[in-house]
Amino acid sequence: MNQTEFKARVKTIIRKEEKWTMLTVGLTGEKNKTATCLVFFPFDFKDGLIYKWKGVFESSPKNNNKIFKVSEVYIENKLEEEDYVELFSSKLFPSITKTDANKILSHFKDPIKTIIDNENEFRSKIKLSADKTEIVIQKVKEHYKLQEVIEFFSINKLNQNVLAIYAKKYMQDSELITKKFKEDNFIDLVKVNYFPFDDAMNIYLAYNNNKVDNIALSWYGWFSIKKYLEESGHSYVNLEKALDLANTATGKNTQEILSAFIEYAKKNKVLIFNDKKIYTPESFRHEQTIAESINQINNQSIQKQNEKDVSQFFDFYNKSNKFSLNTEQRKAIKSFLDNPVSIINGGPGTGKSTLIDAIVKSADELLGIKDYAILCPTGRAASRIRDMFSLNAKTFHSYLVINNEEAEYEISNAGIDADLLIIDEAVMAYAALFQYLLNKSKGVKRIVILGDVNQLPSIGIGNVFSDLIESNKIVTTTLVENNRVKGASIVELANKISNSSVEINDLVDTVDLKFISDIDNQNFYKMLTAEYYKGLPSDLQKSIEHIQVISPFYGKEKDRGINAINKHLQEINTSKSEIKSRFKLNDKTMFTKNDYEIELYNGDISYVIDIDNIGSSKKQVVKIKSKDREIEIKGESLKELTLAYATSVHKVQGGEYNKIIFVLDPSNWNTRNRISKETIYTAITRAKSELIIFADKNDFLNACSKKTEKRNTTLSKLIK
């Protein structure tokens, strides 16, 4: 297909995404003629500049209108006289008028070239005020000095957002910028500026004649290993696996990759080679730093508490709370009092939350420790502790004040004024996050780590909670005794699942547990609706905290996955809005990212109280209510708001509901092949008093017989 090219300036950006932009342009020299362009690579367009566009016109499949698919675009610096007048009098050149533009053209046929080649000549001949002269010079240099580099980026379809950052960083110095792009610049691009790895590699290859040399091979190895570790949770790979991953990424043979690893990756610490294991620098550092922090605190000498004082505290606490701490709970508190670092491991109903309250009070009463930090993985978990005990609990992320969750955490190096650090639901803290929690907490005297080792491990590299227990170097109290009256049979089933002793005869209905199987889709949704609304509080806030549907998979439109269940339950919602939206009033929603400006965190639940458009535009704002806060969600943040009648196991981990409906779709291949007992255990232990399970009993038992693959980590061996 023949390429078309034309000159045009940007009129309207219709839509801009990370990897593509749709925009309307006005063609120069042809009054009122426009084109709709689609650019499938990142480009930082400036309003007012004239660009040269290359590509092909194609018909839109929606309305048969012509769309220009752009293959190359770059700033045009060979302009006609009228183009110069429009350019210099545009808002790109503040305070410059058309009269000023004509003065410039009366002296120079090509003022852009003159300024780039010899700005002093431009100064000496131009008849403008000094301020206006400097504005013209600075703006021309800003937009045109890098013309050759911009064209190179455009022809090779490189991410121009990278160039924009480097242009600012290196003062528009094209030679220095080119030099940087030819060098091993991956740490700065990927780890400092957070650009996607593919963008960094494409730039390096383009500037080095697309030669996959030792530098490129080493970084391909780093990226493929990093990706594998993030997906698997392992903290290292062996050499064979590392070579296989790099081979898949590059197509190079084993000997070439091995040579690159030895000659470049090892020497320059692109990868860390230690004891026949290969780590990324990040995965190695996280485990090493956790171990150093834990060892430093745990090896301090602690004076044992007087038994009489401890006994008196227990009596006081029991009387104040009108219940008695059981033997296991007393043991856990005693271990905390007598050790700098202690672990409390326990399943549902064993009283871990109560122990947090008792530990804070015993620290105050017996150790004189009044300053504490209680950290939880989710806002819901932190809120539960605040509501139950009036204790100041925070989420991991709000405590760290993380600015960028897509890459390495940007956190303050300043420590906290707390002597006691309590980390709840620690099984959810991956190695990087755990390291940052400890780094932020330098100076603490005691650490208590609580969790349930039988739950799903964290999403992310490492298996910190399990590793700390397996080290046998940290005193650990395991809670077994069930303190719940309601939901006793749920706890009993969970224990049998964790012990791998569950049988078909255990899958029977009780007062708080119902098992529903062998039904078609029509009856499934009919029964699901009935169970969802049975006993549902009329108060919306109470209703979203009362019940949660859980499914392990998002699935397709007509199955029993998260998306289909959400769509069905939303249709049951009779609330209406005059504005077209993917939400309805009163919809149960969840925020899926950490947003520190509006103080919403991944997993926070809410409900919709209003839907509106901003002014005369069609940009939507959805107002939600979460607890007692009303929050407007708009712009890019709307993408992070989703329906939450049903959600995944990981999204509800760390939270509890009175009633859980757990769904295993018998038609989904993953149900029989990918679900593990940790998935089942984590899902059903979110229920405090009532559990409804929709599943084929054989599928359920099959999943309970599968254990999640043990992660390859080294933290347990580093704890001394």
Side-chain angles (χ1 to χ4, degrees), residues 366-411:
L366 299 173
L367 303 177
I369 293 177
K370 298 183 182 299
D371 298 319
Y372 63 87
I374 301 172
L375 309 181
C376 306
T378 66
R380 183 170 174 80
S383 178
R384 186 177 75 246
I385 291 172
R386 288 195 297 267
D387 293 345
M388 289 175 66
F389 306 110
S390 298
L391 295 173
N392 183 20
K394 296 182 178 181
T395 65
F396 294 161
H397 294 80
S398 62
Y399 172 75
L400 292 172
V401 194
I402 298 170
N403 298 321
N404 189 327
E405 65 175 346
E406 300 299 327
E408 288 285 306
Y409 291 126
E410 296 177 356
I411 60 176

Side-chain angles (χ1 to χ4, degrees), residues 166 185 227 361:
Y166 270 55
N185 206 31
K227 187 177 178 182
K361 288 181 169 61

Side-chain angles (χ1 to χ4, degrees), residues 21 170 186 342 346 375 388 409 413 469 537 606 631 672 686:
T21 305
Y170 295 110
F186 288 91
S342 59
L375 309 181
M388 289 175 66
Y409 291 126
N413 290 323
I469 294 173
S606 53
I631 307 155
R672 294 180 178 85
R686 301 310 92 206

